[in-house]
Amino acid sequence: QVQLVESGGGLVQPGGSLRLSCASSGIILSTAIVDWYRQAPGKEREFVARMTNGGITDYADSVKGRFTIYRDNAKKTVYLQMNSLKPEDTAVYSCNLQQSRRGYWGQGTQVTVSS
């Protein structure tokens, strides 16, 4: 079965950096579309970043230039490098992998940006 486990979240000061990981199993990561979403309290879930199976990336305007999505197929892990973090980046971050017209979600990892 497919399993996705996010990690790397935590408390960081404004301007700091975090790298989130999404470890996968039961899926061929190299052929999957991988997304990161986030959801802050009282807000709907928001698209953050996408990488297609061809390596094409897309980012929300709010994170463009600060966040980078990439993958290591050998490690079966997707990453989200987050730099220049702002308080408004505070949210639960979740990965979503799509393959063969099926989508899979992880449990999410909390990112809190506060001084």
Side-chain angles (χ1 to χ4, degrees), residues 2-18:
V2 175
Q3 185 175 21
L4 307 175
V5 180
E6 298 95 335
S7 63
L11 175 64
V12 64
Q13 293 184 330
S17 297
L18 286 173

Side-chain angles (χ1 to χ4, degrees), residues 5-53:
V5 180
E6 298 95 335
S7 63
L11 175 64
V12 64
Q13 293 184 330
S17 297
L18 286 173
R19 188 181 73 166
L20 306 184
S21 299
C22 175
S24 69
S25 61
I27 192 170
I28 304 174
L29 183 60
S30 62
T31 66
I33 298 169
V34 297
D35 293 345
W36 284 96
Y37 284 79
R38 66 186 182 187
Q39 188 167 26
K43 298 181 65 177
E44 64 184 12
R45 188 154 55 191
E46 175 189 21
F47 168 80
V48 176
R50 166 172 290 180
M51 176 176 281
T52 72
N53 53 5

Side-chain angles (χ1 to χ4, degrees), residues 3 6 19 26 36 43 47-48 58 62 71-72 82 90 98 107:
Q3 185 175 21
E6 298 95 335
R19 188 181 73 166
W36 284 96
K43 298 181 65 177
F47 168 80
V48 176
D58 189 29
S62 59
R71 74 176 89 194
D72 186 329
M82 307 186 297
T90 296
Q98 302 122 62
Q107 292 291 313

Side-chain angles (χ1 to χ4, degrees), residues 3 8 10-11 14 20-21 24 31 35 37 42-43 48 59 61 64-65 70 84-85 87 91 94 100 105 111-112:
Q3 185 175 21
L11 175 64
L20 306 184
S21 299
S24 69
T31 66
D35 293 345
Y37 284 79
K43 298 181 65 177
V48 176
Y59 299 92
D61 288 341
K64 194 169 298 182
Y70 62 101
S84 302
L85 284 163
S94 302
S100 301
W105 289 95
V111 172
T112 302

